[in-house]
Amino acid sequence: MSELTFVLHITPDQYLAYYNGAAKTVAVTTEDGLSLKFPANALQKFITREGIHGRFKISFDQNNKLIGISRV
């Protein structure tokens, strides 16, 4: 299993594009400097009135399939 950490700041208006389907993936740069894209719906449980803000850990299996995202 692989784990990467990243910081994310998405405003409510920005997430609306994901919610409406205009954007399907989120692109981030990890703390290690790697570029990473993952499905926007993986962040749904972290949405608040202020948007999505914080430090997160994303986990993948050996085939690079998303296992999950958690707040760090």
Side-chain angles (χ1 to χ4, degrees):
M1 178 170 65
S2 298
E3 295 181 340
L4 299 169
T5 306
F6 60 92
V7 175
L8 189 62
H9 296 286
I10 298 177
T11 67
D13 289 339
Q14 289 171 321
Y15 193 79
L16 195 56
Y18 300 113
Y19 183 79
N20 289 331
K24 301 217 182 273
T25 60
V26 175
V28 298
T29 300
T30 67
E31 291 180 350
D32 297 334
L34 300 172
S35 295
L36 174 67
K37 288 184 182 179
F38 56 89
N41 63 359
L43 294 170
Q44 222 167 359
K45 64 183 176 182
F46 302 108
I47 300 170
T48 67
R49 285 187 169 164
E50 291 78 35
I52 303 172
H53 303 280
R55 188 169 178 247
F56 298 89
K57 177 176 65 176
I58 189 166
S59 303
F60 298 93
D61 67 13
Q62 65 273 12
N63 296 316
N64 292 324
K65 182 177 177 184
L66 176 66
I67 294 173
I69 298 177
S70 59
R71 190 180 302 271
V72 178

